[in-house]
Amino acid sequence: MKIICIGRNYAEHAKELNNAVPEKPVFFMKPDTALLTDNKPFYLPDFSQEVHYETELVLRISKMGKHVEKGFARRYYDEIGIGIDFTARDLQRECKQKGLPWEIAKAFDNSAPLGGFLPKKELPDPILFHLNINGETVQEGTTEDLLFSFDELIAYVSRFITLRTGDLIYTGTPAGVGSVKKGDRLQAYIGEKLLLDFEVK
Ligand code: MG
């Protein structure tokens, strides 16, 4: 199982981090050891002073695909969930400045909390989602604002990497990212449905 994460897929988020809006999807990967499931707590790592939440809709790949055409891409996922792409922003900044890969900032243990999934066919279009921290909404997104649609992402990624059943695609975060601290409670929703609920320790 692999986790593919899309970067800069919402124009307003690209801007808040002073990144150019990309002409092609940007992606990177996290290993399976990044997964954090069952609403288990997230322990702040000792190597970062600035861990940011990024709330993202997540596609679960339902069949193997290579060179998938955009027109057929929707057949390759049938559930959509929500997760957090935790990012050690201070380390990422350093990597970017030096032109180095992002793994230490993005792929560390438990950096990919993952909540429940909903069947694609039960979801409205556009899909709305949000994150509450300690009961307050800090990030809201809608698939209307995606720069690259889910189908375009699957087509693009599968040109380079074979998708297998069970692989996850974190589809990028909208604007409003920020730091988490010890004691925070994160609750992520698709529509009004609470699918992810965990504490930072
Ligand atoms: Mg992200």
Side-chain angles (χ1 to χ4, degrees), residues 5-8 13 28 54 56 85 87 106 170-173:
C5 301
I6 309 299
R8 305 174 193 173
H13 169 64
F28 58 90
E54 296 188 357
E56 313 201 357
D85 165 19
T87 304
K106 284 285 199 181
Y170 280 59
T171 57
T173 196

Side-chain angles (χ1 to χ4, degrees), residues 107-171:
F108 55 87
D109 286 353
N110 303 326
S111 61
L114 181 68
F117 282 79
L118 298 172
K120 185 176 61 178
K121 57 178 190 306
E122 285 176 18
L123 288 166
D125 183 19
I127 301 169
L128 305 180
F129 61 103
H130 69 277
L131 176 72
N132 287 358
I133 298 188
N134 306 325
E136 220 165 286
T137 301
V138 294
Q139 207 178 13
E140 284 177 294
T142 162
T143 49
E144 260 182 333
D145 293 339
L146 284 170
L147 293 175
F148 301 100
S149 69
F150 295 157
D151 294 353
E152 286 170 318
L153 296 176
I154 284 178
Y156 184 78
V157 170
S158 70
R159 280 168 58 190
F160 303 93
I161 294 177
T162 299
L163 299 173
R164 290 202 180 120
T165 304
D167 287 350
L168 301 170
I169 302 183
Y170 280 59
T171 57

Side-chain angles (χ1 to χ4, degrees), residues 57-63 68-82 116-128 143 146 149-152 154 169 171 190-191 193 195:
L57 292 176
V58 181
L59 312 180
R60 177 143 53 200
I61 296 299
S62 55
K63 67 174 183 174
V68 175
E69 281 180 48
K70 188 186 153 193
F72 296 113
R74 74 191 130 79
R75 298 184 188 173
Y76 289 79
Y77 63 102
D78 44 28
E79 289 181 306
I80 297 176
I82 195 159
F117 282 79
L118 298 172
K120 185 176 61 178
K121 57 178 190 306
E122 285 176 18
L123 288 166
D125 183 19
I127 301 169
L128 305 180
T143 49
L146 284 170
S149 69
F150 295 157
D151 294 353
E152 286 170 318
I154 284 178
I169 302 183
T171 57
I190 295 180
K193 216 165 211 161
L195 293 170

